[in-house]
Amino acid sequence: MKFTEESIVLKSGKEIKKFQLMNDQGMVVELINLGATLTQVLVPDQEGKLENVVLSWQDKSVYEENPGCFGSIIGRVAGRIGEAKVTLGDKVYEFAKNSNGKNTIHGGEVAYHTQLWEGKGTSDAEEATVSFTYWSRDGEAGFPGNLDIKVDYVLKNDNSLTIDYTATTDKETIINLTNHTYFNLSGDAKRPILEQEVVIHSDTYCELDSELIPTGKLIALNEDSIFDFRKAKAIGRDINEKHEQLVNGAGYDHPWVLNDDEVAVEFYDKVSKRYMEVTTTAPGVVMYTMNHADAPLLLENGESQKPRYGVCFETQCLPIGRNELFKEGVILKPEDTYRQKTVFKFGIR
């Protein structure tokens, strides 16, 4: 296992760190401490060709604002908060209304994906790790409590990449961390993700309203549902159906409640034969099919970003809905420790 670190100066003059991990199979993982962001995952196709299977910006300076939150840690609360407020105890906390002018999305004004994290790398014979830490102060973006966060990215020789999250607080707060990497198993984003296949080990998904806020209704899946991914299905098979839930999101942007299966998500590309398996301790996953890509920015491959060229599997608790639905699942108290672990394992099939 190998680990390297270097400094990069952005156009703004800000200095960031880039970390590179390599296992004994040749798999490479690259990260930057701006947003604790995953910028490269190089894995082989059926012919052994190493290519990047995550979307990243060609110009690292774009990560200072990072439209689309490419590869970053999202927090303090991932996803949307209905009506941009929560009640804890006898106090109402209000947040930035940065989604539909009424709701909060992905942490609000001071979001983790644009912050500089402290990073430290290590490696031994078994694994290579980058540990990122961030101190989120009491009142930052409106959230209560000083929050100490640690996120470990761990690469192992079985071509697995683990993201291990822990956090503690000194005041009752809410927390729902995830990683917002866009995957594309074609390699170097050669093709859209529409023909790539997904299995989601879930029997229910969460209904959303017209502003993509959970209504509280969990809908049971059957074989006629366009949200049924219990068997392998191409992402694009039903994505353009005139179903209210798809029209509201311009595609899939929904939470699924995960079963207790060992595996949460399977992702496969028939052309490259690359396969990704996701396991997680989180109770849900949001699959977002890159329905919007409006900014004319260049990807690492030199092409402009386009919709449907990546898919996110955001392992997390259910987002906070209307009337603070699902809030209880994301409350963290001072006597407790927040923990979540997700593993992305790559191979050929």
Side-chain angles (χ1 to χ4, degrees), residues 41-280:
V41 175
L42 303 181
V43 294
D45 65 5
Q46 61 179 328
E47 297 176 350
K49 184 178 181 181
L50 284 173
E51 293 175 307
N52 193 8
V53 295
V54 306
L55 299 192
S56 56
W57 301 118
Q58 185 181 75
D59 181 358
K60 291 290 193 293
S61 295
V62 175
Y63 285 101
E64 291 199 73
E65 295 186 2
N66 197 3
C69 306
F70 276 30
S72 296
I73 298 300
I74 303 298
R76 183 173 299 196
V77 173
R80 293 168 178 83
I81 300 175
E83 299 166 342
K85 62 182 180 181
V86 298
T87 305
L88 294 172
D90 58 359
K91 186 171 181 179
V92 177
Y93 295 90
E94 297 186 359
F95 316 114
K97 296 179 179 179
N98 62 337
S99 177
N100 296 102
K102 299 178 183 178
N103 312 297
T104 300
I105 188 171
H106 290 342
E109 287 181 330
V110 186
Y112 295 170
H113 67 278
T114 58
Q115 304 304 305
L116 275 178
W117 295 56
E118 292 293 324
K120 182 179 180 181
T122 59
S123 65
D124 57 30
E126 302 298 325
E127 60 189 39
T129 302
V130 178
S131 297
F132 291 108
T133 56
Y134 181 70
W135 183 70
S136 180
R137 61 176 176 79
D138 183 18
E140 182 179 80
F143 293 97
N146 293 302
L147 194 68
D148 283 308
I149 309 166
K150 184 170 183 278
V151 178
D152 293 331
Y153 289 84
V154 184
L155 176 65
K156 296 184 178 181
N157 277 322
D158 62 356
N159 280 3
S160 69
L161 175 65
T162 298
I163 308 179
D164 198 348
Y165 310 77
T166 58
T168 56
T169 183
D170 60 1
K171 185 188 295 185
E172 187 177 43
T173 190
I174 54 174
I175 179 173
N176 193 14
L177 302 179
T178 195
N179 177 276
H180 209 272
T181 292
Y182 294 79
F183 293 96
N184 185 327
L185 296 182
S186 70
D188 296 336
K190 291 193 296 295
R191 302 183 306 276
I193 46 89
L194 295 174
E195 296 302 318
Q196 294 171 43
E197 295 182 345
V198 168
V199 176
I200 302 176
H201 291 250
S202 169
D203 296 322
T204 54
Y205 79 97
C206 184
E207 181 185 70
L208 305 179
D209 67 14
S210 61
E211 297 173 1
L212 303 183
I213 304 299
T215 66
K217 184 177 181 180
L218 299 177
I219 300 177
L221 294 167
N222 59 56
E223 61 185 13
D224 296 322
S225 171
I226 60 176
F227 286 84
D228 184 14
F229 284 88
R230 292 175 298 170
K231 295 181 180 179
K233 182 172 77 172
I235 291 173
R237 194 183 84 177
D238 299 320
I239 201 169
N240 294 316
E241 292 292 321
K242 301 303 180 184
H243 187 287
E244 182 182 32
Q245 288 292 298
L246 287 180
V247 171
N248 288 343
Y252 295 106
D253 192 5
H254 294 69
W256 276 258
V257 180
L258 293 170
N259 298 337
D260 292 330
D261 299 356
E262 181 178 350
V263 176
V265 176
E266 301 169 65
F267 186 37
Y268 179 62
D269 177 44
K270 289 183 176 180
V271 179
S272 71
K273 305 297 184 184
R274 291 186 179 98
Y275 173 73
M276 184 178 81
E277 181 181 273
V278 184
T279 59
T280 185

Side-chain angles (χ1 to χ4, degrees), residues 291-305:
N291 306 322
H292 308 282
D294 301 325
L297 297 167
L298 295 181
L299 299 176
E300 186 182 55
N301 65 4
E303 301 289 332
S304 293
Q305 66 160 337

